[in-house]
């Protein structure tokens, strides 16, 4: 009736409990006893006596009420555990005490104190308060009494707030979870969890608002997104993934630490039951902060592309300035070449006279027979008329007996000049170097397609299973976009692709200008300066672009299984740079593309074997160190003798040893004071010392990151050779023009900065995912890029400048006759 007063809340709760008791019926043990929140209930149960408690409370409109149940039993009898069943309006939760957890090798851990948070009741759309009842049943099949304790409390701090830290404690048998609701203006948040202690190992999970909540070690991975954790964890959560715009953050402590890199305590080895109670408690702090806005994504993409487009602008400016200078020189009359008249006829561009003070140098055309003479413009087809005729194959040149003997005579002279090693037909040599370009394109396609397919599968598995331990991101700076979990690590590789393409354009421009000069039979192009072969440069540009592609693929899901994706083309870049540096002064005797790429394949195979077997297997390091040392000696021998050291003859089995003894006797005893090729000997001694040091270091310390170890060997050898080349160039009174000088300085500066950021380790797949996350750091650039992204930016620029050094280093020799250019 309208005039009747509303019943008191206490009367309603009493009536509700009375109705529940009447409905339960049965014996005295079945009558639910009214329970009060915050009060400890003690009792005993057996096979014929159980206890039922009813806890009633009132839920306010729009309020989420969470209840936590704490139970304890002193019994360690696993045959007769105490069973606890909690019944709610829409669910049932049950467990036993002792609560049993299983670890590695079926070890068991028993906990007698258990506390669980009940799945909270959903906020009702009603405008009035609603009454709720929770029943707690305590029972046991034991024929004797088993004591227990029961405590039910209402949680006051169940909902987490944005930008506010919350501290709590958890253990394996006492997990915790809390509710978070997205604010209206926030589309993405980052859940930061920290702890002062690395162990015990824990798991952080984000689950949808669905009952039951999976909050035990054996089921926490059934739903949502999760990470293992020692001292630090971070999970990025987007509003679009949760239609209800809210989620649970679950914290579970594992019974063992092996999943986080810890060891199993020696006292519990074997299948023995142990009661640990609350020894494995962990203090945690959780803070939920808003993630970056969409505008930051746009700024980061603009920054990435504009930064490298500036290199294009700079290249256009340099090309324009160079064009103006060439036009001025053309209008003023071309300068005479060094040591030359500049008025030589095209039929005899190089004089037969030799450098002063020596009996070697240019090859006299008049005394040379057909295949050995320098090709003059009249006898040479136009530069653009390279054909695929079989008569132009390299074998038609190299298999001539007189050429083989001539090679032995020329290449074993004490002092060599470029004219001695640039005697092959230019078209044949150019085709030989073009094979590098076409082969690397083929390799790139066949290598990249399976890689892309694999990383897409990895990302799909991560998204479907929610297991964020699969990929080793820097979770404190991992910004998702679409299906990608760390878009920033992928975007930062755009520099490799853009600068690689720019380098191809620069090489193409030089190639076109060179072809035009050849068609015009320009004397400076034909017989002066370093012979221009661009096949290796094209291959280097493709390798730089592919490094960006494969590095981006690796960072889709970086882990132990696909790290070689990030390093494979780094090996090829280092190898191609060394080949190009050697080919500059040895255009006729460089390695073929097939043998070079086969060598790279062997190196990549060794890298894979090292990742698999190199951690603890001493035999692998012994074999690898022996291969490393022997390969260094064999390569040194070939370089020292310009490729004329052969294993042949009728007694080839013993000929190699006899030849080695003769070499040692000649160079170390007869000419001990001075080797025949002093400069080469100094380089090779230093190179062998460096490589042997690497071999000894690997054998003694056995670094876990084997792929980076091999990459370090390649880079050190490349830097050593480049330093030797520049020193010898300066010793030979050659000049460094402004552009190569600028590129050398820029290379050194940018590489130094890049390596600083490279060694700022943000994750490590050599460790467990939880240990790797201890190294995670926040973003440092635009709130979007981390240290490793900056390494990507700077390393792309450093590689680009390094390539420019190789491309422009000998531009000062364009007006120097080849019989005046020394070989070193």
């Amino acid at each position: 009736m309208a005039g009747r007063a509303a019943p008191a809340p206490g009367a309603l709760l009493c009536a509700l409990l009375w109705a529940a008791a009447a409905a339960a019926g049965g014996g005295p043990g079945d009558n639910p006893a009214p329970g009060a929140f915050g009060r400890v209930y003690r009792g005993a149960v057996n096979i014929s006596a159980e206890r039922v408690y009813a806890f009633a409370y009132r839920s306010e409109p729009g309020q989420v009420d969470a209840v936590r149940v704490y139970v304890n039993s002193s019994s360690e009898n696993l045959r007769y555990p105490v069973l606890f069943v909690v019944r709610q309006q829409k669910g049932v939760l049950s467990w036993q005490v002792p609560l049993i957890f299983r670890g590695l090798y079926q070890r068991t851990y028993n906990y007698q104190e258990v506390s669980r948070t009940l799945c909270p009741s959903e906020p009702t759309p009603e405008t009035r308060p609603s009454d709720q009842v929770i029943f707690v049943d305590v029972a046991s099949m034991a024929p004797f009494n088993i004591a227990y304790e029961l405590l039910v409390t209402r949680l006051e701090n169940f909902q987490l707030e944005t930008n506010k830290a919350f501290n709590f404690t958890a253990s394996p048998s006492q997990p915790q979870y809390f509710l978070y609701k997205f604010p209206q203006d926030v589309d993405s948040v980052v859940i930061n969890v920290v702890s002062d202690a690395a162990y015990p190992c824990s798991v952080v999970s984000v689950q949808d608002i669905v009952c039951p909540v999976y909050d035990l070690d054996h089921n926490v991975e059934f739903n949502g997104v999760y990470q293992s954790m020692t001292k630090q964890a971070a999970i990025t959560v987007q509003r679009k993934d949760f239609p209800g715009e809210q989620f649970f953050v679950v914290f579970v402590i594992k019974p063992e630490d092996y999943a986080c890199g810890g060891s199993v305590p020696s006292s519990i080895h074997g299948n023995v039951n142990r009661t640990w109670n609350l020894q494995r408690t962990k203090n945690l702090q959780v803070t939920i902060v808003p993630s970056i806005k969409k505008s930051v994504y746009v700024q980061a993409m603009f920054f990435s592309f504009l930064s490298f487009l500036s290199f294009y602008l700079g290249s256009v400016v340099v090309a324009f300035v160079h064009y103006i200078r060439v036009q001025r020189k053309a209008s003023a009359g071309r300068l005479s070449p060094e040591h030359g008249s500049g008025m030589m006829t095209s039929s005899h561009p190089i004089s037969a006279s030799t450098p002063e003070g020596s009996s070697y140098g240019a090859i006299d055309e008049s005394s040379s027979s057909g295949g050995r003479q320098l090709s003059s413009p009249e006898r040479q087809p136009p530069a653009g008329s390279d054909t695929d005729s079989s008569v132009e194959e390299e074998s038609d040149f190299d298999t001539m007996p007189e050429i083989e003997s001539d090679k032995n005579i020329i290449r074993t002279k004490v002092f060599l000049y470029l004219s001695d090693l640039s005697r092959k037909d230019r078209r044949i040599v150019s085709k030989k170097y073009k094979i590098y370009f076409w082969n690397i394109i083929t390799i790139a396609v066949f290598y990249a397609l399976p890689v892309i397919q694999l990383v897409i599968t990895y990302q799909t598995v991560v998204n479907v299973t929610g297991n964020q331990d699969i990929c080793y991101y820097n979770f404190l700076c991992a910004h998702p976009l679409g299906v990608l979990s760390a878009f920033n690590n992928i975007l930062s590789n755009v520099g490799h692709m853009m600068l690689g393409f720019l380098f191809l354009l620069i090489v193409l421009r030089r190639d076109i200008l060179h072809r035009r000069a050849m068609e015009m039979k320009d004397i400076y192009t034909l017989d002066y300066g370093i012979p221009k072969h661009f096949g290796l440069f094209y291959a280097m540009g493709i390798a730089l672009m592919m490094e960006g592609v494969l590095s981006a693929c690796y960072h889709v899901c970086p882990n132990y299984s696909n790290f070689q994706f990030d390093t494979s083309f780094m090996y090829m870049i280092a190898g191609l740079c060394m080949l190009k540096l050697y080919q500059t002064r040895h255009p006729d005797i460089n390695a073929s593309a097939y043998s070079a790429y086969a060598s790279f394949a062997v190196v990549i195979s060794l890298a894979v074997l090292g990742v698999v077997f190199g951690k603890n297997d001493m035999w692998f390091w012994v074999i690898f160190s022996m291969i490393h040392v022997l390969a260094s000696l064999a390569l040194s021998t070939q370089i020292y003798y310009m490729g004329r050291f052969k294993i042949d003859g009728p007694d080839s089995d013993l000929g190699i040893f006899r030849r080695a003894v003769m070499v040692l006797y000649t160079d170390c005893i007869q000419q001990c004071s001075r080797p025949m090729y002093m400069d080469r000997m100094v380089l090779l001694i230093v190179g062998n010392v460096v490589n042997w040091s690497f071999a000894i270091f690997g054998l003694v310390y056995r670094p876990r990151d084997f792929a980076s170890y091999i990459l370090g060997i390649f880079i050190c050898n490349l830097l050593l050779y480049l330093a030797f080349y520049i020193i010898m160039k300066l010793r030979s009174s050659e000049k460094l023009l402004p552009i190569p000088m600028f590129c050398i300085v820029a290379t050194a500066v940018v590489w130094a900065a890049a390596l600083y950021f490279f060694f700022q380790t943000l994750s490590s797949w050599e460790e467990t995912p939880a240990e790797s996350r201890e190294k995670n750091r926040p973003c440092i650039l635009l709130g979007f890029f981390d240290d490793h992204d900056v390494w990507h930016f700077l390393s792309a620029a450093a590689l680009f400048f390094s390539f420019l050094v190789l491309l422009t280093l000998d531009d000062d020799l364009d007006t120097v006759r080849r019989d005046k250019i020394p070989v070193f």
Side-chain angles (χ1 to χ4, degrees), residues 37-60:
F37 290 103
R39 177 182 173 185
V40 177
Y41 293 90
R42 296 180 177 87
V45 291
N46 55 47
I47 192 171
S48 58
E50 65 179 67
R51 296 289 183 267
V52 181
Y53 298 88
F55 296 86
Y57 64 95
R58 171 160 292 187
S59 178
E60 298 296 330

Side-chain angles (χ1 to χ4, degrees), residues 61 164 221 240 245 247 271 316 388 394 412 451 467 476 485 528 551 585-586 612 636 666 718 743 766 768 777 788 790:
K164 185 175 181 180
E221 301 175 0
K240 66 181 181 65
E245 299 184 353
F247 54 83
N271 191 15
V316 171
D388 294 329
E394 183 186 359
T412 54
V451 166
N467 182 5
L476 290 179
S485 299
Y528 287 75
S551 178
R585 307 267 173 161
H586 310 79
V612 176
S636 300
T666 302
L718 173 59
C743 292
E766 301 171 16
T768 64
R777 297 182 188 175
H788 197 74
V790 177

Side-chain angles (χ1 to χ4, degrees), residues 365-663:
E365 286 185 280
S366 62
S367 63
S368 301
S369 61
R372 285 181 290 168
Q373 64 189 11
L374 289 166
S375 299
S376 66
E378 286 83 4
R379 293 188 297 268
Q380 194 172 9
S385 63
D386 290 355
T387 67
D388 294 329
S389 173
S390 60
V391 298
E392 294 176 353
E393 294 295 330
E394 183 186 359
S395 59
D396 295 337
F397 186 94
D398 281 349
T399 55
M400 298 172 62
E402 64 270 21
I403 295 302
E404 287 298 319
S405 62
D406 190 55
K407 286 180 181 178
N408 290 329
I409 294 172
I410 292 177
R411 297 183 188 177
T412 54
K413 294 193 303 183
V414 177
F415 296 101
L416 278 173
Y417 287 86
L418 192 60
S419 57
D420 298 326
L421 299 180
S422 57
R423 308 176 65 227
K424 293 184 181 180
D425 190 295
R426 185 196 61 81
R427 296 168 300 155
I428 297 175
V429 178
S430 293
K431 285 185 177 180
K432 176 181 178 181
Y433 290 119
K434 284 179 182 177
I435 298 175
Y436 278 96
F437 172 66
W438 294 113
N439 278 12
I440 200 170
I441 290 180
T442 305
I443 293 170
V445 172
F446 278 89
Y447 194 93
L449 291 180
V451 166
I452 294 172
Q453 182 179 4
L454 180 62
V455 297
I456 290 175
T457 303
Y458 268 120
Q459 185 68 71
T460 302
V461 170
V462 172
N463 295 340
V464 171
T465 64
N467 182 5
Q468 295 200 351
D469 283 353
I470 296 176
C471 305
Y472 286 73
Y473 303 118
N474 175 18
F475 288 91
L476 290 179
C477 188
H479 304 298
L481 181 66
V483 298
L484 300 174
S485 299
F487 174 69
N488 55 300
N489 294 150
I490 298 171
L491 176 63
S492 59
N493 285 284
V494 71
H496 294 88
M497 290 175 272
M498 293 184 66
L499 294 184
F501 184 70
L502 174 59
F503 183 74
L504 289 177
L505 293 179
I506 294 173
V507 174
L508 178 62
R509 174 182 173 274
R510 287 202 167 211
D511 194 5
I512 293 174
L513 293 177
H514 178 69
R515 287 173 180 270
R516 289 177 180 173
M518 294 294 292
E519 291 173 355
M520 296 171 61
K521 298 182 180 180
D522 181 71
I523 186 175
Y524 294 90
T525 304
L526 292 171
D527 302 306
Y528 287 75
I530 302 294
K532 303 295 191 298
H533 303 293
F534 298 97
L536 274 170
F537 284 126
Y538 284 122
M540 289 160 56
I542 295 296
L544 181 56
M545 295 180 67
M546 286 308 302
E547 171 59 27
V549 172
L550 293 178
S551 178
C553 290
Y554 164 71
H555 284 91
V556 169
C557 181
N559 59 52
Y560 165 86
S561 302
N562 60 13
F563 180 65
Q564 64 269 23
F565 300 163
D566 195 23
T567 56
S568 296
F569 271 81
M570 287 298 293
Y571 303 143
M572 299 182 73
I573 287 173
L576 289 173
C577 288
M578 283 189 281
L579 286 173
K580 184 58 194 177
L581 205 55
Y582 186 78
Q583 176 253 327
T584 301
R585 307 267 173 161
H586 310 79
D588 287 355
I589 58 174
N590 209 1
S592 69
Y594 306 111
S595 59
Y597 288 128
S599 302
F600 298 152
V602 171
V603 171
I604 294 173
S605 300
L606 285 174
V608 174
L609 292 175
V611 171
V612 176
F613 299 107
K615 289 185 177 180
N616 301 310
D617 296 321
M618 186 65 183
W619 62 266
F620 172 82
W621 283 99
V622 172
I623 295 175
F624 175 78
S625 298
M626 292 176 61
I627 293 175
H628 187 186
V629 171
L630 292 177
S632 300
L633 291 174
L635 184 62
S636 300
T637 304
Q638 292 297 312
I639 293 176
Y640 188 71
Y641 289 101
M642 294 288 185
R644 305 317 303 159
F645 188 85
K646 301 286 187 182
I647 303 176
D648 51 13
D651 55 343
S652 57
D653 293 337
L654 297 177
I656 179 65
F657 299 105
R658 186 178 297 113
R659 190 94 178 248
V661 171
M662 291 300 297
V663 168

Side-chain angles (χ1 to χ4, degrees), residues 173-453:
S173 63
Q174 301 186 27
Q176 299 269 14
Y177 65 86
F178 304 95
L179 175 70
Y180 180 80
K181 294 182 179 181
F182 280 97
Q184 290 297 324
D185 58 340
V186 176
D187 294 324
S188 177
V189 295
V190 180
I191 304 171
N192 293 321
V193 187
V194 295
S195 176
D196 293 333
Y199 301 109
C201 178
S202 56
V203 176
V204 181
S205 173
V206 176
Q207 302 179 19
D208 202 359
I209 306 296
V210 177
C211 294
V213 178
Y214 298 102
D215 62 348
L216 292 177
D217 175 58
H218 66 272
N219 63 16
V220 68
E221 301 175 0
F222 289 178
N223 187 25
V225 179
Y226 60 90
Q227 295 179 2
S228 58
M229 170 190 166
T230 51
K231 288 186 175 182
Q232 182 173 256
I235 300 178
T236 300
V237 183
Q238 301 182 80
R239 181 195 292 265
K240 66 181 181 65
D241 296 331
F242 296 92
E245 299 184 353
Q246 55 186 349
F247 54 83
F248 289 134
V249 186
V250 185
F251 303 91
V252 174
I253 308 300
K254 300 184 76 67
E256 290 181 347
D257 296 329
Y258 70 89
C260 293
S263 60
V264 179
S266 58
S267 61
I268 60 169
H269 280 290
N271 191 15
V272 180
N273 296 326
R274 299 285 177 174
T275 301
W276 279 20
N277 293 328
L278 298 181
Q279 296 176 11
R280 289 181 61 80
T281 59
K282 187 166 188 173
N283 297 320
L284 299 164
Q285 182 185 85
V286 58
T287 309
I288 301 182
V289 297
S291 184
I292 61 174
K293 298 183 180 296
K294 293 181 180 179
S295 59
V296 180
Y297 282 82
V298 176
Q299 293 174 8
M301 285 188 275
F302 270 107
F303 171 81
S304 301
F305 286 98
L306 292 178
S307 297
F308 294 107
L309 285 175
S310 64
F311 284 81
Y312 284 75
L313 179 60
S315 301
V316 171
V317 171
V318 172
F320 179 74
V321 171
H322 181 263
Y323 174 79
I324 296 298
R325 293 183 61 187
V326 169
Q327 292 299 316
R328 289 180 178 177
K329 284 186 177 181
S331 61
R334 190 165 185 177
L335 296 177
S336 298
E338 182 182 346
H339 303 296
S341 63
M343 301 297 292
M344 293 181 180
T345 62
S346 60
S347 59
H348 290 278
I350 299 181
S351 171
S353 62
T354 60
E356 183 179 355
S358 64
S359 59
Y360 38 79
I363 305 302
D364 190 347
E365 286 185 280
S366 62
S367 63
S368 301
S369 61
R372 285 181 290 168
Q373 64 189 11
L374 289 166
S375 299
S376 66
E378 286 83 4
R379 293 188 297 268
Q380 194 172 9
S385 63
D386 290 355
T387 67
D388 294 329
S389 173
S390 60
V391 298
E392 294 176 353
E393 294 295 330
E394 183 186 359
S395 59
D396 295 337
F397 186 94
D398 281 349
T399 55
M400 298 172 62
E402 64 270 21
I403 295 302
E404 287 298 319
S405 62
D406 190 55
K407 286 180 181 178
N408 290 329
I409 294 172
I410 292 177
R411 297 183 188 177
T412 54
K413 294 193 303 183
V414 177
F415 296 101
L416 278 173
Y417 287 86
L418 192 60
S419 57
D420 298 326
L421 299 180
S422 57
R423 308 176 65 227
K424 293 184 181 180
D425 190 295
R426 185 196 61 81
R427 296 168 300 155
I428 297 175
V429 178
S430 293
K431 285 185 177 180
K432 176 181 178 181
Y433 290 119
K434 284 179 182 177
I435 298 175
Y436 278 96
F437 172 66
W438 294 113
N439 278 12
I440 200 170
I441 290 180
T442 305
I443 293 170
V445 172
F446 278 89
Y447 194 93
L449 291 180
V451 166
I452 294 172
Q453 182 179 4

Side-chain angles (χ1 to χ4, degrees), residues 752-784:
L755 290 174
Y756 169 80
F757 288 100
F758 175 76
F759 289 110
Q760 304 299 311
T761 307
L762 304 179
S763 61
S764 174
W765 48 260
E766 301 171 16
E767 301 172 338
T768 64
E771 291 173 318
S772 173
R773 272 186 279 274
E774 293 182 22
K775 299 178 172 63
N776 290 176
R777 297 182 188 175
C779 305
I780 63 169
L781 180 62
L782 300 178
F784 191 83

